[in-house]
Amino acid sequence: MYDPTVARLTYRALLGRRRALILFALPVLLIVIAGAVRGLTGGADDQVAVDLLGGFALATMVPIIGVIAGTGAIGPEIDDGSVVYLLSKPVKRPTIIFTKLIVAIAVTMAFSAIPTFIAGMILNGNGQQIAIAYTIAALVASITYAAIFLLLGTITRHAVVFGLVYALVWEALFGSLVAGARTLSVQQWSLAVAQKVGDGDLITSDVGLPTATILLVAVTVITTWHAGQKLRSLKLAGEE
C-alpha cells in the first residue's frame, strides 16, 4: 500500500522552495507571537497559552497547513496533466492515494505539531500539560485534515480555494462561534483529545471523546476511500 517512489516524488513536490516557504510562514509566526506574548506578560499564563494555541495554532495554522499539504500532494499533478505519467506506471491507484496521504500527513504533522509544542513550552512551560495536549491535538487533526484536503485535490481544480474557505470560514469562524457547527468541526474533535490529555478544565470541547474518536476515524477512512475511487475513475488515453 506504500510506494517509495511515489512518496519521494510527493515529498519533492511539497517541499519545493516556493511551497516550503509557505509551509514555514505560519509556524514561524506562531513561535514569534508566542515569544512576544511571553515577553509582554512577563511570565507563564495558562489561559493565554490556551487562547493562543487553541485560537491560532489549532483553529487556523493546522488546517491551513493541511490545505497546503493535502491539496499539494496530488492537485497540481491532476491540474497540469502530469498525473498521467504516474497512472501509467504499474502502481495500483489506491496505493498512490495511500502513499500521498502518508506524505501529506507527515508534512502536516511536522509543520504544525512541532511548532505548537515549541510555542506551548514558550508560553507556559507545559503547565497543566497544555503544550502536550495541543501538540497531540495537532497530530490527530493533521491526519483528518490531510485526508479531507487530499480528497478535495482529486475532485476539483479549485481545491486550494475550497480548502481555505473550509479552514478559515468553517473551522476558524463558524467552528469557534456557532454551536451547531462546532459539532461538525475537526478542530472540536481534536480538542476533545486535548481535553483528555490536559490537566484542569482550561481546555474544553463541545464533542465528547468517544464521539470525536469515531468521527475522526470515520471521516479519515471515508475521504481516503473516496479519493481512491476518484483516482481510479480517471481514464488514460487507450484505457477504454
Side-chain angles (χ1 to χ4, degrees):
M1 290 297 293
Y2 181 85
D3 187 275
T5 301
V6 174
R8 185 175 64 254
L9 293 173
T10 307
Y11 275 118
R12 185 180 300 172
L14 285 178
L15 300 178
R17 180 179 301 176
R18 189 174 183 179
R19 199 175 296 272
L21 288 175
I22 300 174
L23 286 170
F24 272 109
L26 284 175
V28 170
L29 179 60
L30 172 65
I31 294 171
V32 169
I33 292 174
V37 169
R38 179 61 186 264
L40 291 172
T41 57
D45 189 317
D46 294 344
Q47 185 61 59
V48 170
V50 168
D51 290 343
L52 182 58
L53 296 181
F56 180 75
L58 195 60
T60 303
M61 183 186 73
V62 180
I64 289 179
I65 291 175
V67 170
I68 297 169
T71 61
I74 195 168
E77 292 177 321
I78 293 177
D79 290 344
D80 63 20
S82 60
V83 71
V84 172
Y85 171 79
L86 183 60
L87 297 180
S88 66
K89 300 300 179 183
V91 181
K92 294 181 179 179
R93 297 184 186 187
T95 298
I96 294 172
I97 286 294
F98 183 77
T99 302
K100 287 182 173 293
L101 175 63
I102 294 299
V103 173
I105 289 172
V107 171
T108 307
M109 284 181 170
F111 284 91
S112 60
I114 295 173
T116 297
F117 177 75
I118 294 172
M121 295 300 293
I122 292 171
L123 288 165
N124 79 331
N126 196 38
Q128 297 195 57
Q129 296 292 309
I130 289 173
I132 292 294
Y134 276 101
T135 299
I136 293 175
L139 290 171
V140 170
S142 294
I143 298 172
T144 304
Y145 281 132
I148 291 172
F149 298 128
L150 182 67
L151 171 61
L152 276 180
T154 65
I155 63 178
T156 176
R157 291 180 177 272
H158 306 291
V160 173
V161 175
F162 286 116
L164 289 175
V165 168
Y166 174 86
L168 297 176
V169 177
W170 184 264
E171 291 283 359
L173 184 59
F174 287 102
S176 299
L177 302 176
V178 182
R182 286 198 289 266
T183 306
L184 299 175
S185 166
V186 177
Q187 174 194 349
Q188 291 296 322
W189 304 342
S190 57
L191 274 174
V193 179
Q195 182 179 11
K196 180 67 175 179
V197 174
D199 296 331
D201 57 1
L202 287 176
I203 304 174
T204 60
S205 172
D206 287 0
V207 184
L209 183 60
T211 301
T213 302
I214 292 171
L215 289 171
L216 284 165
V217 173
V219 170
T220 302
V221 171
I222 291 170
T223 51
T224 302
W225 175 83
H226 192 48
Q229 294 301 111
K230 292 298 293 184
L231 193 64
R232 191 193 300 271
S233 68
L234 288 178
K235 295 293 185 181
L236 301 179
E239 274 192 341
E240 302 296 340

